[in-house]
Amino acid sequence: MNLLLERKSIRRFTNKEITKEDITKMLKAAMQAPSAHNQQPWEFIVVDDRELLDKLSLASTGAWMLKNVNVAIVPLLLPTDKSPHFAIQDLSAATQNILLEATNLGIGSCWIGAYPLDERVKHIEKVLNITGNIHPFSMIALGYPKDSKETILRYDKSRIHYNKRGE
Amino acid sequence: MNLLLERKSIRRFTNKEITKEDITKMLKAAMQAPSAHNQQPWEFIVVDDRELLDKLSLASTGAWMLKNVNVAIVPLLLPTDKSPHFAIQDLSAATQNILLEATNLGIGSCWIGAYPLDERVKHIEKVLNITGNIHPFSMIALGYPKDSKETILRYDKSRIHYNKRGE
């Protein structure tokens, strides 16, 4: 089975540290994502400070697992003149590439959505000192999985149409 | 080099047909993407009708290469109650998975953005008979690459911060 099928959300982690080399590999994968007009409207904050991770875990109810990881990556959405309407899609592809490279390295991950939810975005901005026209897009919890988790295939033929949707 | 680094936009294709088996593999990868609350707010139209592909190539200036492919996949954005604010991100991850599985299979691909640009969305809806609360999200041109294209690594250290963005 390939890594596209194997990726799953992991929320329970061991204490094992992720190497800097592996963090770099994930960031390389992120920046290789496609973006509209190749604008690459992104930056990334690597968070490995215990206090900051604990504060980030309070950004939403679904962010609790940040209390239990040693590192997270927070992709940032940059302003772009050329195709601002596609910037969310660019950042999503970059986030997905991080999850997939993590899977490739045996690292578990969980995509915690932030943008465009104002309350989450403002909380993260405050914790990570993000100001101006730049906004946190998501938070990615990273660590080695505590338990093995079954792969559930979500393929559903009824979602596929040929040439036209309607009847 | 892994497939996350190898993926690139391909716009010139040979006439070689893509097998149905490979199309299914790409759709399996698409539906394995993460989605907020596992809502999977997607469907997919496989377009292999010459007349429809030609019409879709007129959706935007960047869609011209659909004239030169035998097949395209059009992911559709479905309404979802639970996390509508994240549906674009879900569809982006699904689209990215299609591009990556294509790369994995030696197939070239190009992500043509549509949603939320009204003019493009309406054009595609008309061609593919998409009605109601369902909207085309993107179009993915698929085919075997005509030329080999160099991989340009976009990794840029200056885009990385540690723990705080600040000045």
Side-chain angles (χ1 to χ4, degrees):
Chain A
M1 198 145 50
N2 74 28
L3 64 96
L4 300 169
L5 303 182
E6 272 172 55
R7 185 223 54 86
K8 58 202 74 164
S9 296
I10 299 294
R11 294 184 176 82
R12 307 211 177 260
F13 303 94
T14 70
N15 279 326
K16 187 179 167 191
E17 301 265 354
I18 294 171
T19 64
K20 288 203 168 170
E21 197 188 3
D22 280 356
I23 294 287
T24 300
K25 281 181 186 170
M26 289 186 259
L27 293 169
K28 274 187 182 163
M31 294 189 217
Q32 206 65 11
S35 61
H37 289 103
N38 196 23
Q39 291 289 285
Q40 307 172 43
W42 48 54
E43 288 185 7
F44 303 88
I45 304 183
V46 178
V47 184
D48 60 5
D49 179 281
R50 180 75 269 142
E51 199 186 322
L52 295 179
L53 287 166
D54 288 350
K55 283 182 181 168
L56 289 178
S57 77
L58 305 171
S60 73
T61 50
W64 60 272
M65 84 288 286
L66 290 174
K67 271 196 108 60
N68 306 323
V69 298
N70 296 315
V71 65
I73 295 176
V74 178
L76 306 178
L77 185 71
L78 267 57
T80 165
D81 288 338
K82 230 173 174 176
S83 43
H85 39 274
F86 288 135
I88 290 177
Q89 302 179 30
D90 302 337
L91 268 289
S92 302
T95 298
Q96 174 68 353
N97 269 15
I98 291 174
L99 308 187
L100 292 169
E101 182 61 23
T103 305
N104 195 30
L105 297 166
I107 294 167
S109 62
C110 190
W111 178 340
I112 304 160
Y115 195 91
L117 298 183
D118 208 43
E119 206 180 323
R120 299 186 188 186
V121 165
K122 284 197 171 135
H123 179 98
I124 301 165
E125 283 177 352
K126 206 175 159 188
V127 174
L128 299 181
N129 196 23
I130 301 159
T131 56
N133 243 340
I134 296 171
H135 302 292
F137 174 73
S138 61
M139 300 192 287
I140 304 158
L142 294 165
Y144 288 91
K146 199 164 200 167
D147 323 290
S148 70
K149 196 176 161 188
E150 202 194 344
T151 296
I152 297 161
L153 287 178
R154 304 204 186 96
Y155 181 65
D156 174 2
K157 265 190 168 177
S158 75
R159 309 277 189 125
I160 306 169
H161 307 273
Y162 290 89
N163 289 312
K164 299 240 179 189
R165 183 169 189 288
E167 30 279 277
Chain B
M1 195 144 52
N2 73 31
L3 63 95
L4 300 169
L5 303 183
E6 271 171 58
R7 184 222 55 84
K8 58 203 74 165
S9 296
I10 300 293
R11 295 184 174 83
R12 308 212 175 257
F13 304 94
T14 71
N15 280 326
K16 188 179 165 189
E17 301 267 352
I18 295 171
T19 64
K20 287 203 167 169
E21 198 189 3
D22 281 354
I23 294 286
T24 300
K25 282 181 186 169
M26 290 186 259
L27 293 168
K28 275 188 180 161
M31 293 189 216
Q32 207 64 12
S35 61
H37 290 102
N38 196 22
Q39 291 290 286
Q40 305 172 43
W42 48 54
E43 289 184 6
F44 302 87
I45 304 182
V46 178
V47 184
D48 60 4
D49 180 281
R50 181 73 270 144
E51 198 185 322
L52 294 179
L53 288 166
D54 288 349
K55 283 182 182 168
L56 289 178
S57 77
L58 305 171
S60 73
T61 50
W64 59 270
M65 86 288 287
L66 290 173
K67 273 197 105 64
N68 306 323
V69 298
N70 296 314
V71 65
I73 295 176
V74 178
L76 306 178
L77 185 71
L78 268 57
T80 166
D81 288 339
K82 233 174 173 175
S83 43
H85 38 275
F86 288 135
I88 290 176
Q89 302 179 31
D90 302 338
L91 268 290
S92 301
T95 298
Q96 174 67 355
N97 269 14
I98 291 174
L99 308 188
L100 291 169
E101 181 62 22
T103 305
N104 195 29
L105 297 166
I107 293 167
S109 62
C110 189
W111 179 338
I112 303 160
Y115 195 90
L117 299 183
D118 209 43
E119 205 180 323
R120 297 186 190 187
V121 166
K122 285 196 171 134
H123 179 98
I124 301 165
E125 283 177 352
K126 206 175 161 192
V127 173
L128 299 180
N129 195 22
I130 302 161
T131 56
N133 243 338
I134 296 170
H135 301 291
F137 174 72
S138 61
M139 301 192 286
I140 303 158
L142 294 165
Y144 287 91
K146 199 163 200 168
D147 323 287
S148 69
K149 197 177 159 185
E150 204 192 345
T151 296
I152 298 162
L153 287 177
R154 303 202 188 99
Y155 181 65
D156 174 2
K157 266 188 165 175
S158 75
R159 308 279 189 125
I160 306 169
H161 307 275
Y162 290 89
N163 289 311
K164 299 242 179 190
R165 184 169 189 287
E167 39 286 272

